[in-house]
Amino acid sequence: MNAIADRYRVRADAFERKIAAVEAGQWENKSPCEEWNARDVVEHIIDMHGAMLRPFGRALGPAPSLLDDPLGAFRAARADVEAILGDPVLAATEQETPSGKLTAEQHIDQVASADMIIHGWDLAKATGQDDTIDPEEVARMWPEAQAIPEQMRIPGAFGPGIVVFGPEVKVPEDAPLQDRLLGLMGRNPNA
């Protein structure tokens, strides 16, 4: 495997552990993402996995119902994306994305894979789990987060109903780097 596939696997493993730790009565808990509950966070991650398949004329394969088995639904979506990452030809196929022309593996790395970090925090926060993000991931994401274009904060800029990043939440400059990252991503780390 290559670095992108390995990074995806580590992130998916961490997200999967968070899903597995959600108790039955917690799925309707409100998440830090306005208008979403814990189940909606997982649904978004699954939907983004499906978006990674569309340029190949593929869709998510058969999966358990998100209502009945969120963990199984995520595992099925994960397998579909890992099939792309595991195929050197598909992984290297270039495609047009909102960020320009990228290979499939680059697009997966920047979207579906990276989403699991921040939305993993959302899920943990909603369900009372440890919400610490791996410090290496925080440090890796920090420079990119500082360069988020304002267009990505405009609701609907990438299509109807799509909100990429919420408005920045101001946090103290001396706050921990994770808190500052979350603020740039539109989340209140202390909520």
Side-chain angles (χ1 to χ4, degrees), residues 87-109:
D87 181 322
V89 173
L90 290 178
T93 302
E94 287 192 336
Q95 54 192 334
E96 284 299 327
T97 75
S99 299
K101 194 166 238 180
L102 299 172
T103 65
E105 67 181 359
Q106 289 169 327
H107 195 211
I108 289 167
D109 195 42

Side-chain angles (χ1 to χ4, degrees), residues 71-155:
L71 181 58
F74 171 73
R75 285 178 173 159
R78 175 184 179 172
D80 292 334
V81 166
E82 286 182 320
I84 301 244
L85 291 174
D87 181 322
V89 173
L90 290 178
T93 302
E94 287 192 336
Q95 54 192 334
E96 284 299 327
T97 75
S99 299
K101 194 166 238 180
L102 299 172
T103 65
E105 67 181 359
Q106 289 169 327
H107 195 211
I108 289 167
D109 195 42
Q110 289 180 15
V111 180
S113 184
D115 257 11
M116 289 187 289
I117 298 165
I118 298 301
H119 290 305
W121 180 86
D122 294 330
L123 184 59
K125 197 79 168 164
T127 58
Q129 298 181 48
D130 179 3
D131 62 6
T132 305
I133 300 172
D134 179 335
E136 289 181 20
E137 291 284 17
V138 172
R140 186 197 61 74
M141 293 179 78
W142 178 243
E144 295 168 10
Q146 292 180 82
I148 293 172
E150 281 308 306
Q151 178 190 11
M152 295 184 89
R153 295 188 189 281
I154 300 170

